[in-house]
Amino acid sequence: MMFEKLKELRDYEAKIQRETAKDLHVTRATYAGWECGKDIIPLRKLNDLANIYDVTLDYLVGLTENQENRPFKMDIDPKVVSENIKLLRLSRQLTQKEMAESLKTSQSNIHNYENGKSLITTMYAIELAKNYDYSLDKLIRKTK
């Protein structure tokens, strides 16, 4: 399961779902859907959870088991994310269409992500990280 760390970290902190949901300003049912994998946690809430547990996004979604690098606790700046997506694409000499195809999305989505019209979804952010060996924490500039 992609988000097995959610339950693992919550259990480690000896919290019940209701407490974690309260920390995230969502209902227990919403959080439970994320934790069991029924629903996908939005990137902003995933970042909030990483801040709460003082772990990296990469660790939280299972892209790494390394917990040595402690992240900065910060909110997501959509402008930073859009700039980083564009810089990543250009550094790989990809067109928006090519990146879209690799992420199994539309070119218009990539355009919207790069121009800050919408924040990249969690699933596309994870696919981007996997496909291009790129850190989610670097994507939102949570690390140096």
Side-chain angles (χ1 to χ4, degrees):
M1 182 188 309
M2 178 77 58
F3 300 109
E4 62 190 23
K5 294 277 190 238
L6 275 65
K7 182 175 185 338
E8 182 182 308
L9 287 167
R10 180 179 59 78
D11 286 346
Y12 180 79
E13 295 287 326
K15 288 185 171 187
I16 59 173
Q17 286 183 343
R18 187 175 330 279
E19 291 170 311
T20 302
K22 184 178 177 184
D23 291 342
L24 294 171
H25 307 288
V26 298
T27 66
R28 190 212 55 82
T30 296
Y31 178 78
W34 298 337
E35 190 176 278
C36 75
K38 179 181 171 219
D39 300 310
I40 303 300
I41 186 170
L43 192 57
R44 288 181 191 274
K45 293 298 182 182
L46 188 68
N47 183 61
D48 291 345
L49 200 56
N51 287 341
I52 289 167
Y53 292 129
D54 194 29
V55 296
T56 65
L57 288 169
D58 293 330
Y59 178 79
L60 194 56
V61 300
L63 293 174
T64 184
E65 289 298 316
N66 182 354
Q67 294 189 64
E68 291 176 18
N69 297 328
R70 289 292 183 215
F72 298 112
K73 290 185 179 186
M74 59 187 299
D75 293 330
I76 291 178
D77 181 345
K79 185 176 178 183
V80 167
V81 176
S82 64
E83 290 170 358
N84 283 338
I85 292 170
K86 186 172 186 174
L87 288 171
L88 172 63
R89 181 180 61 78
L90 293 174
S91 73
R92 303 294 169 99
Q93 299 179 332
L94 298 169
T95 64
Q96 286 182 345
K97 182 178 180 184
E98 291 168 330
M99 181 175 265
E101 288 171 356
S102 76
L103 298 179
K104 296 178 179 63
T105 189
S106 67
Q107 181 177 348
S108 65
N109 274 345
I110 300 300
H111 174 80
N112 289 338
Y113 297 154
E114 286 186 2
N115 290 296
K117 293 182 180 177
S118 59
L119 181 63
I120 191 169
T121 65
T122 302
M123 290 312 297
Y124 288 134
I126 291 170
E127 283 303 307
L128 182 142
K130 287 179 180 178
N131 289 357
Y132 299 107
D133 193 28
Y134 196 80
S135 166
L136 288 179
D137 298 285
K138 185 175 180 182
L139 179 67
I140 67 166
R141 203 173 292 149
K142 203 172 171 100
T143 59
K144 290 184 180 182

